Amino acid sequence: MKRNALALSIKLAMTGAVAGTLVACGGSGGSSGSGTSSGTSVGAVSGFGSVYVNGTRFSTNGSVESDDGFEREDQLRKGMILKVDGDWDDRGEGRADRIRYDDTLRGPVSGMSWDDAARSGTLTLLGQTIALDSKTVFRGATPTALAANPQGYRVRISAWRLDDGSFRASYVGARAIGLEFDDDNEVEIEGIVANLDTSAETFTINGFPVDYTSATGDDDFSLDDLANGLAVEVEGRLSGGVIIAEEIDDEDDLFDDNDDVEISGTIYDFDAASQQFSINGVTVRVTSGTEFDDIGRNSLADGVFVKVEGDFRNGVLVAEEIEGQESDAELDGRIESIDLTDESLMVSGVRVQLTGNTLIDDDDDDDDDRRSRVQDIQSLSVGDYLEIEGRQRNSGGGFLEAFSIEREDDDDDDDYELEARASAVGPVSITLMNLEILLNGYSTSGATAGSRVEAEYMMTAGGQYQLTEDLEIDDDDTDDDNDDSNDSDNDDSDD
């Protein structure tokens, strides 16, 4: 397909700040209306100008608190998990009184695997396993380069801790061995103290040995308070496969009592009987009054990525709303048109809606990482080939709400791919969201309306779309998934 065959309609209606409309399909939290929350928001940076966290654009004074060499907002990168104290409203606007960042892990890489087609892999350092996926932002080296020579790099990682002590990376910043980060300590690890020996002054974190004979307590933490089961952060240096600790601190409480709170992360320690689970060390309690968005109550489970909003009381986050943030649709294709007024794209026949949660990235983007949110959107051009993950929406004829957009600068592929639920299957075509694809002699055997399918297709010279292979049906599709999709439809009424 030649680019001049694309629909070249671009509305260049510029606004001073795009954040006001970015929340139309899922931005910031809070109840409906124009309510304001005051408390703490914990989540990954999705954009700048000032800082976007959990779909809210927080205005800042430019300063950052950190023990890891960060002092200014312009040192932050997309994907870094921040703790933001301040106020925010339901329109997606907020004010940050205080921003804090800390590395989760830092040190030399010992191994890494990466599947570029699946956009997933694992990385190991300091004996810890870190899951990598399409939500992980890489800086300093591409995942392919890291996997090709893992021992040639040291990394700093911002990640969510999982139930088994492993991690799910939101950000991986790499530097070649010999180049240091702006921090006094070579390595950092966080986790649960085990095998504590107060005589030898040693313990382990998820199996990795720590020697604290020369360590000091950071802030107000006393080494006398070390105990098995305590969550700590350790910084120091490596010697013979042992961390020689220089500083040890217990993990700070993320929230204060009676805070309005929002936090994104992966569920672990889910207990269906007590209706409780954990996110990044925070206990969450689900009540009969908890509202659900894009996820059903019965779909809560370990490993599911969610955003929780509520009140922090007596050390527990009482959930007012739980929003599912796992992708259920994927699209690889070319931009055909851009509407900056609505912050939406037409990509290979599919309408794609951007929100304040949408992470826009390039496959080799490093120098442009400090682009503002407005510049991120304006950097997209008709003809760009994108890989998009997000949530299928069925209102308004159907569209894809984008969680992440990655531009493939050198991709000359004019074959497109869409994974989503079919809205209609007929004798000559199949419809996915707002896109009708001609069968072109290929099979849709077994597919019905509601089936999750994978379609590979292309645009014809006449501007239609047609399959280029037999339709694939997701064999793991379940009724629970259908329930969640229905929840999404109900919540789309305001879009």
Side-chain angles (χ1 to χ4, degrees):
M1 180 179 62
K2 298 183 184 297
R3 290 193 179 185
N4 59 10
L6 298 170
L8 301 177
S9 57
I10 306 177
K11 295 182 182 179
L12 298 176
M14 307 306 298
T15 57
V18 297
T21 55
L22 284 173
V23 297
C25 295
S28 174
S31 58
S32 60
S34 57
T36 300
S37 298
S38 179
T40 304
S41 181
V42 175
V45 177
S46 61
F48 293 100
S50 294
V51 173
Y52 283 80
V53 174
N54 287 323
T56 295
R57 183 181 71 91
F58 287 96
S59 62
T60 76
N61 63 9
S63 64
V64 174
E65 297 180 16
S66 174
D67 293 329
D68 299 320
F70 291 81
E71 297 179 346
R72 306 180 313 276
E73 178 192 320
D74 60 15
Q75 295 174 285
L76 299 175
R77 295 292 180 264
K78 295 174 186 174
M80 289 183 170
I81 298 169
L82 303 184
K83 176 183 177 181
V84 181
D85 295 330
D87 304 314
W88 61 94
D89 62 27
D90 296 335
R91 298 176 299 110
E93 295 289 338
R95 185 196 75 252
D97 297 323
R98 178 175 181 257
I99 293 179
R100 182 165 181 82
Y101 171 79
D102 280 314
D103 291 335
T104 308
L105 299 160
R106 187 173 63 253
V109 180
S110 54
M112 178 172 164
S113 65
W114 179 253
D115 184 333
D116 202 48
R119 305 297 296 171
S120 64
T122 58
L123 183 150
T124 55
L125 80 161
L126 306 179
Q128 312 305 299
T129 301
I130 300 97
L132 311 169
D133 59 24
S134 59
K135 293 185 177 72
T136 307
V137 177
F138 292 87
R139 289 294 178 264
T142 65
T144 302
L146 273 169
N149 180 28
Q151 287 81 20
Y153 293 93
R154 64 177 66 250
V155 294
R156 70 184 337 146
I157 293 177
S158 186
W160 306 106
R161 190 193 310 151
L162 306 182
D163 58 330
D164 60 357
S166 65
F167 299 87
R168 179 175 176 174
S170 180
Y171 169 84
V172 176
R175 292 194 177 177
I177 292 295
L179 299 177
E180 303 296 330
F181 293 108
D182 297 329
D183 190 86
D184 295 334
N185 294 300
E186 174 188 356
V187 299
E188 178 171 352
I189 188 173
E190 72 172 43
I192 307 300
V193 173
N195 303 310
L196 177 64
D197 185 333
T198 55
S199 298
E201 296 186 303
T202 60
F203 59 87
T204 62
I205 290 181
N206 207 27
F208 202 83
V210 177
D211 182 324
Y212 67 94
T213 54
S214 59
T216 59
D218 195 20
D219 295 332
D220 297 327
F221 180 69
S222 170
L223 298 181
D224 294 335
D225 294 330
L226 281 171
N228 288 324
L230 181 69
V232 297
E233 300 174 357
V234 178
E235 296 191 42
R237 57 184 174 84
L238 275 178
S239 178
V242 177
I243 295 177
I244 307 302
E246 301 290 343
E247 299 177 8
I248 300 177
D249 193 7
D250 60 341
E251 287 193 2
D252 295 333
D253 292 333
L254 284 176
F255 311 119
D256 296 325
D257 263 349
N258 299 316
D259 256 0
D260 291 332
V261 162
E262 58 179 6
I263 183 171
S264 300
T266 302
I267 293 175
Y268 63 92
D269 288 345
F270 176 70
D271 187 329
S274 66
Q275 286 291 285
Q276 290 194 163
F277 58 85
S278 295
I279 293 182
N280 208 35
V282 177
T283 299
V284 178
R285 179 179 301 142
V286 183
T287 72
S288 59
T290 302
E291 298 179 358
F292 291 85
D293 185 8
D294 295 334
I295 190 172
R297 182 184 294 266
N298 292 335
S299 295
L300 296 176
D302 288 348
V304 176
F305 197 88
V306 297
K307 182 174 82 170
V308 181
E309 302 173 45
D311 295 326
F312 194 70
R313 306 173 189 164
N314 300 318
V316 174
L317 173 52
V318 181
E320 294 179 352
E321 181 179 359
I322 298 177
E323 177 184 344
Q325 294 194 329
E326 290 284 359
S327 302
D328 65 3
E330 298 182 17
L331 170 65
D332 295 353
R334 289 197 183 279
I335 298 178
E336 297 172 347
S337 63
I338 302 173
D339 188 333
L340 291 179
T341 302
D342 296 331
E343 283 85 37
S344 64
L345 315 172
M346 188 62 71
V347 178
S348 296
V350 178
R351 183 164 72 89
V352 177
Q353 182 69 53
L354 310 183
T355 78
N357 281 318
T358 305
L359 174 69
I360 301 173
D361 203 15
D362 289 344
D363 60 353
D364 58 357
D365 180 19
D366 196 11
D367 294 337
D368 293 333
D369 192 53
R370 288 300 310 175
R371 288 185 311 214
S372 71
R373 181 72 177 173
V374 175
Q375 292 168 331
D376 272 340
I377 297 174
Q378 294 172 357
S379 72
L380 300 174
S381 301
V382 168
D384 285 348
Y385 196 93
L386 307 180
E387 294 182 354
I388 304 169
E389 289 195 15
R391 172 84 54 183
Q392 180 173 353
R393 301 294 194 181
N394 296 322
S395 64
F399 62 94
L400 177 58
E401 179 186 331
F403 289 170
S404 65
I405 294 176
E406 182 168 347
R407 177 169 45 197
E408 300 293 329
D409 289 338
D410 299 324
D411 202 316
D412 58 0
D413 191 359
D414 286 334
D415 291 331
Y416 311 134
E417 184 174 320
L418 176 60
E419 296 181 41
R421 289 193 184 279
S423 53
V425 181
V428 297
S429 66
I430 182 170
T431 302
L432 305 173
M433 291 180 279
N434 60 312
L435 172 65
E436 182 181 15
I437 307 176
L438 301 176
L439 302 188
N440 192 31
Y442 290 100
S443 171
T444 61
S445 177
T448 60
S451 297
R452 192 187 302 276
V453 301
E454 179 180 323
E456 297 195 21
Y457 65 103
M458 65 177 295
M459 179 185 275
T460 69
Q464 295 179 300
Y465 301 93
Q466 63 183 23
L467 291 177
T468 57
E469 292 186 8
D470 289 342
L471 199 70
E472 293 187 18
I473 301 175
D474 186 353
D475 293 332
D476 296 328
D477 202 8
T478 65
D479 290 338
D480 284 343
D481 291 333
N482 283 312
D483 291 340
D484 295 343
S485 181
N486 291 334
D487 288 340
S488 299
D489 296 344
N490 292 334
D491 292 326
D492 278 344
S493 57
D494 294 332
D495 291 336

